[in-house]
Amino acid sequence: AQSVSQHNHHVILSEAASLELGCNYSYGGTVNLFWYVQYPGQHLQLLLKYFSGDPLVKGIKGFEAEFIKSKFSFNLRKPSVQWSDTAEYFCAVNAPNTGNQFYFGTGTSLTVIP
Amino acid sequence: DTGVSQDPRHKITKRGQNVTFRCDPISEHNRLYWYRQTLGQGPEFLTYFQNEAQLEKSRLLSDRFSAERPKGSFSTLEIQRTEQGDSAMYLCASSLGQISYEQYFGPGTRLTVT
């Protein structure tokens, strides 16, 4: 089974700081990659996704992620965070050739200090 | 907005009792997923339906868990003889399948087993 690792469990940043959250997965074949966000009191929503093509994908609210196949990574970035970005961030992987299961990381809690 | 809905939102039950949760997906979505999420963890895949067919089930899923999607619309997840370890948030998500792997999540049902 695939696994997803998010090494940053808690991140605290000041507003306007740059953000990078790490995500590594274990599967060597074709993958679909996702970042989901959960704002306080809300349910999970999609931030961005990668299926194929340009490895640099852009999502909502100024977020982007880069797929680096050789490193099995899909790190999330934002050049300047805002207080409203305070949330839990989850990386997820689906390997379509092996089934329809989605594997989520343990999440990274981001706190942005005004 | 007719997003994914789940009922009930909270359930407290005594150990040994049976519980049933309901999920209503977005109406045109043919795929439906159930996940379990405990504190500090990401969602853990339980099972997946395409229309009314249950196509995948996690090996970690106990025989006490059963899910149905009788008409390819709403789904139910039943847990028999609940145990304290079943306490978790149970999430439902739906998607358009091969058209889009994007999953739309519901608010979840929080189960507490006393």
Side-chain angles (χ1 to χ4, degrees):
Chain A
Q2 294 84 34
S3 67
V4 180
S5 298
Q6 292 183 245
H7 303 294
N8 314 103
H9 298 295
H10 301 280
V11 174
I12 301 173
L13 294 173
S14 298
E15 274 193 319
S18 64
L19 170 72
E20 180 159 2
L21 301 182
C23 172
N24 289 91
Y25 61 93
S26 64
Y27 185 66
T30 301
V31 291
N32 298 320
L33 299 159
F34 308 82
W35 275 97
Y36 281 85
V37 61
Q38 188 167 25
Y39 297 104
Q42 298 186 26
H43 42 90
L44 283 160
Q45 56 185 283
L46 184 69
L47 203 52
L48 49 78
K49 61 189 177 188
Y50 171 81
F51 291 162
S52 64
D54 189 344
L56 184 63
V57 293
K58 296 189 183 300
I60 60 172
K61 303 186 180 185
F63 285 91
E64 65 179 31
E66 185 175 12
F67 170 49
I68 302 179
K69 189 173 182 179
S70 61
K71 294 185 178 180
F72 300 91
S73 70
F74 189 56
N75 291 355
L76 180 71
R77 299 195 292 249
K78 186 171 184 178
S80 176
V81 294
Q82 300 173 316
W83 175 78
S84 58
D85 294 324
T86 295
E88 189 91 14
Y89 292 82
F90 294 93
C91 180
V93 173
N94 162 248
N97 295 334
T98 66
N100 293 285
Q101 293 198 24
F102 282 69
Y103 296 88
F104 283 78
T106 54
T108 296
S109 174
L110 172 65
T111 301
V112 180
I113 301 170
Chain B
D1 177 14
T2 54
V4 179
S5 62
Q6 292 187 245
D7 184 69
R9 296 291 303 275
H10 303 274
K11 178 72 177 178
I12 300 173
T13 191
K14 292 185 178 179
R15 190 174 52 189
Q17 298 294 305
N18 298 344
V19 293
T20 300
F21 310 140
R22 177 181 171 122
C23 170
D24 286 88
I26 294 172
S27 59
E28 64 268 26
H29 285 185
N30 61 344
R31 294 189 175 191
L32 187 147
Y33 302 79
W34 283 100
Y35 293 88
R36 175 172 59 193
Q37 186 177 20
T38 53
L39 198 62
Q41 301 295 318
E44 175 191 19
F45 172 83
L46 294 179
T47 190
Y48 148 71
F49 290 85
Q50 181 157 315
N51 300 313
E52 66 276 7
Q54 187 175 18
L55 297 185
E56 289 186 41
K57 194 173 173 181
S58 170
R59 295 191 198 97
L60 301 176
L61 201 61
S62 158
D63 289 343
R64 297 183 295 106
F65 287 69
S66 62
E68 294 182 341
R69 194 182 182 197
K71 296 183 181 179
S73 56
F74 73 92
S75 175
T76 58
L77 177 69
E78 181 183 15
I79 309 174
Q80 296 181 326
R81 306 181 302 281
T82 52
E83 301 173 357
Q84 287 189 321
D86 297 331
S87 295
M89 178 74 86
Y90 289 85
L91 299 170
C92 175
S94 69
S95 74
L96 275 171
Q98 290 183 346
I99 298 172
S100 167
Y101 284 97
E102 178 176 351
Q103 295 187 22
Y104 292 80
F105 281 83
T109 295
R110 182 168 296 283
L111 172 67
T112 302
V113 182
T114 62

